[in-house]
Amino acid sequence: AQSVAQPEDQVNVAEGNPLTVKCTYSVSGNPYLFWYVQYPNRGLQFLLKYITGDNLVKGSYGFEAEFNKSQTSFHLKKPSALVSDSALYFCAVRPDYGGSQGNLIFGKGTKLSVKP
Amino acid sequence: DSGVTQTPKHLITATGQRVTLRCSPRSGDLSVYWYQQSLDQGLQFLIQYYNGEERAKGNILERFSAQQFPDLHSELNLSSLELGDSALYFCASSPSGTLSNEQFFGPGTRLTVL
């Protein structure tokens, strides 16, 4: 079955420190992987995606993610966290069902808290 | 602002009632997706439409239905509402159903069933 796991419900980081939000996936075929961020009372905002190519993907707001096929992981990273990065982060995978079926399967989400 | 609009923002209704949620995709996007976000189930895919046709179904209850109109806006109809249907309902759109396309999410409709 296709699935995404975010093993940490919450990640706490001090401002200025690097942050990592973990994601592992299980999918048959080529994985299409995405990270989204949700601020309180807002919709989800796209951060970055991995489709193919370079394993290090750069996205919005200084975030990047590393695709690791052998570990089936797609961890989100940022070299220096900001208080404004505090939000709920979702990892998602899009299984290849063929055709134009394109729904996303989301992880449970990880709450990132950055303290000044 | 993603360019996806959803109305209403909030909806409070009673058990047994029927409601309609509306979504307007980004200009030019052909695919519309509906998702439900609740505390216990997380973000769950409900249904996808592509250029007016149903393309994929997820964990959508039989009491729920959706459609996409010729102008590409979409409506999600929820009937015989139960307390457990209280959730945030998101609409997302993408240019097509291509796997590499990211989806752009609307602000959501918060449904409260009393």
Side-chain angles (χ1 to χ4, degrees), chain B residues 29-89:
Chain B
D29 284 358
L30 298 178
S31 258
V32 169
Y33 309 80
W34 285 97
Y35 294 86
Q36 179 194 59
Q37 184 179 32
S38 61
L39 281 175
D40 53 345
Q41 295 292 325
L43 264 165
Q44 298 278 318
F45 166 68
L46 296 178
I47 197 164
Q48 176 200 359
Y49 277 82
Y50 176 74
N51 203 20
E53 293 187 5
E54 182 183 305
R55 191 60 57 137
K57 256 184 174 178
N59 300 319
I60 188 166
L61 299 171
E62 285 193 14
R63 300 183 284 109
F64 296 0
S65 65
Q67 54 184 327
Q68 186 179 27
F69 295 86
D71 66 353
L72 300 178
H73 91 271
S74 177
E75 292 181 356
L76 179 66
N77 300 297
L78 316 176
S79 62
S80 302
L81 285 167
E82 301 176 359
L83 296 178
D85 297 328
S86 296
L88 200 48
Y89 290 85

Side-chain angles (χ1 to χ4, degrees), chain A residues 3 8 12 35 42 57 62 79-81 85 89 94 97 101 113:
Chain A
S3 64
E8 302 152 318
N12 299 311
W35 275 101
R42 303 281 293 276
V57 178
S80 179
D85 292 331
Y89 289 79
R94 182 180 253 160
Y97 294 126
Q101 292 184 30
S113 178

Side-chain angles (χ1 to χ4, degrees), chain B residues 1-2 5 15 40 42 49 51 68 81 96 111:
Chain B
D1 184 2
S2 67
T5 60
T15 55
D40 53 345
Y49 277 82
N51 203 20
Q68 186 179 27
L81 285 167
S96 68
L111 173 66

